[in-house]
Amino acid sequence: MIKIIDNFLEKDLSKYLENYFLEIPHNFGHSSLGLDKGSPFYQANLNPYDPLIKFLCLKVQQQVEHKLGFLRDYINIHYSNMPGDFHEDDGDTTILLMTSKTLQKGSGQFQIQLHNDITNIQSVDFIQNRLIIFPAIWKHRGLDPIEHATPRVTLAFKTQKV
């Protein structure tokens, strides 16, 4: 099951994150499939002890019925011609927060293979401040934005049940 929550964070915090994640150092060359495989894009690992990240993890925890252990928190930044590749994640649950500006319909969508069925893909439009929660074993990818010079920034939480 995919859970989608719009307007996840308070409006001012959402606006703050839009700029914050573009200002922290990030590196080019990350791929959903690992080194030397797949389409490269920008990525930055986040400090799990940073007070802002701890607060965001607390907010995420409130959206699920079981206790979460956070394995990794990081951002992915995609521009046009930087699509992601279908992949599974480690852990039990993948949680994604769309932090950059809302993209036009069909641009920068997330695609999730329900139960890993390639014929059953759910597309989720990229809307700022939208949170998506789904099983980590379901293959998924983030598509690149159609808009040129416009980033699609996603905060990813990789979690496991505790």
Side-chain angles (χ1 to χ4, degrees):
M1 176 183 124
I2 300 173
K3 183 176 182 181
I4 299 173
I5 302 162
D6 287 326
N7 302 309
F8 172 63
L9 298 171
E10 189 268 337
K11 187 176 180 179
D12 288 340
L13 179 55
S14 176
K15 185 68 176 167
Y16 176 79
L17 293 180
E18 175 186 329
N19 298 312
Y20 176 78
F21 288 130
L22 287 173
E23 293 174 0
I24 65 171
H26 44 277
N27 301 302
F28 181 74
H30 180 79
S31 167
S32 301
L33 300 178
L35 292 174
D36 301 323
K37 298 178 185 174
S39 301
F41 51 87
Y42 293 93
Q43 191 259 355
N45 291 313
L46 301 173
N47 178 353
Y49 302 104
D50 179 283
L52 175 60
I53 302 307
K54 288 175 77 170
F55 175 74
L56 293 171
C57 289
L58 173 72
K59 295 291 286 182
V60 165
Q61 175 63 71
Q62 295 169 350
Q63 299 303 315
V64 296
E65 296 176 4
H66 53 274
K67 179 109 173 91
L68 293 175
F70 289 84
L71 302 173
R72 294 189 327 277
D73 312 309
Y74 58 90
I75 56 168
N76 289 332
I77 303 175
H78 296 253
Y79 287 89
S80 60
N81 297 313
M82 291 183 188
D85 299 289
F86 277 114
H87 65 283
E88 297 177 14
D89 289 330
D90 54 335
D92 299 313
T93 305
T94 295
I95 303 170
L96 305 173
L97 176 61
M98 303 174 192
T99 64
S100 54
K101 291 181 181 175
T102 296
L103 300 173
Q104 63 182 300
K105 188 158 183 63
S107 177
Q109 290 181 326
F110 284 98
Q111 295 183 329
I112 303 166
Q113 294 179 15
L114 304 180
H115 305 282
N116 284 337
D117 180 354
I118 189 68
T119 65
N120 192 8
I121 295 175
Q122 180 173 341
S123 295
V124 180
D125 285 325
F126 192 95
I127 297 176
Q128 186 177 35
N129 203 17
R130 173 176 274 179
L131 189 76
I132 308 172
I133 303 171
F134 58 92
I137 61 169
W138 288 3
K139 291 182 181 177
H140 59 282
R141 68 179 177 177
L143 298 179
D144 52 322
I146 297 168
E147 301 86 344
H148 293 287
T150 300
R152 178 180 67 77
V153 182
T154 307
L155 171 55
F157 301 92
K158 305 306 175 179
T159 68
Q160 64 185 10
K161 294 179 184 175
V162 177

